[in-house]
Amino acid sequence: MTNRFLSALVLSAALALPLAACKEEAAVKPAAISMTDEALGYYCQMYLAGHGGPKAQIHEKGQEQPLWFSQVSDAVTYLRGGEKRGDVTAVYVSDMEKAPSWAEPGRDNWVDADAALFVIGSRQAGAMGMPEAIPFGSQKAADDFAAREGGVVVKLADIPDKYLGPANASPTDHSDMQM
């Protein structure tokens, strides 16, 4: 009986080890990386450094480098659309509260997109002249920006689908925004 118990215990431990490793692997979130001069926008294939406004990076499982996005709204479109190439492990957006300026959104001031607050429907256009979801790391910064530039503050999941990415409406069309 003791040998059976010991064998069962060893077998249980051996089976549990891969499960623990899977949980540990899933829990590891890659850190944001610094935007370089060579970073190209996923949709536009243009250098991000040449355009103002907030940027995004999406990390996918098994990929060493993130996908870069010239506009945050483009990254949200990628996340919600059918183009995803793999399992997303992290999404970071420029924290515009810490950006040196609109023209220079920063290379290392990233905030987790799930923790960020976004101003949508403002007068400030994105990098490609389209409506943008402008991210901030704090409620106060998002509220202050919305008070100055118009718009509403929302979480990532609350950005309306009609507002997003390469298929955006015309730059002046904010008819789906509630102010």
Side-chain angles (χ1 to χ4, degrees):
M1 183 96 169
T2 305
N3 286 340
R4 264 192 194 167
F5 178 73
L6 186 56
S7 295
L9 185 60
V10 170
L11 182 58
S12 295
L15 292 173
L17 188 59
L19 293 176
C22 287
K23 284 183 182 179
E24 192 173 305
E25 182 180 321
V28 174
K29 187 175 203 172
I33 65 170
S34 182
M35 183 176 68
T36 66
D37 288 337
E38 292 78 34
L40 293 174
Y42 177 77
Y43 287 118
C44 66
Q45 292 298 299
M46 296 170 69
Y47 292 109
L48 271 63
H51 303 282
K55 310 297 179 225
Q57 57 179 279
I58 295 179
H59 296 254
E60 292 181 323
K61 185 177 181 177
Q63 299 299 315
E64 190 173 311
Q65 293 295 312
L67 299 176
W68 294 100
F69 293 86
S70 301
Q71 290 197 153
V72 171
S73 56
D74 290 348
V76 178
T77 297
Y78 180 84
L79 291 169
R80 292 187 187 169
E83 290 187 44
K84 279 194 292 188
R85 303 180 317 185
D87 294 330
V88 173
T89 57
V91 180
Y92 297 100
V93 291
S94 302
D95 182 349
M96 293 306 286
E97 176 179 15
K98 297 176 181 173
S101 69
W102 186 263
E104 176 53 49
R107 293 174 182 261
D108 295 303
N109 52 309
W110 301 104
V111 61
D112 188 311
D114 288 327
L117 295 153
F118 298 84
V119 176
I120 58 174
S122 76
R123 290 181 288 277
Q124 180 65 60
M128 303 308 207
M130 300 303 287
E132 177 63 297
I134 303 167
F136 294 92
S138 76
Q139 183 75 51
K140 181 178 179 348
D143 290 342
D144 289 350
F145 183 88
R148 265 192 333 272
E149 299 294 332
V152 294
V153 178
V154 299
K155 295 293 283 179
L156 177 64
D158 299 323
I159 298 172
D161 286 344
K162 290 182 181 178
Y163 190 76
L164 303 176
N168 272 342
S170 69
T172 58
D173 181 12
H174 292 290
S175 61
D176 60 333
M177 298 290 105
Q178 294 181 5
M179 303 287 172

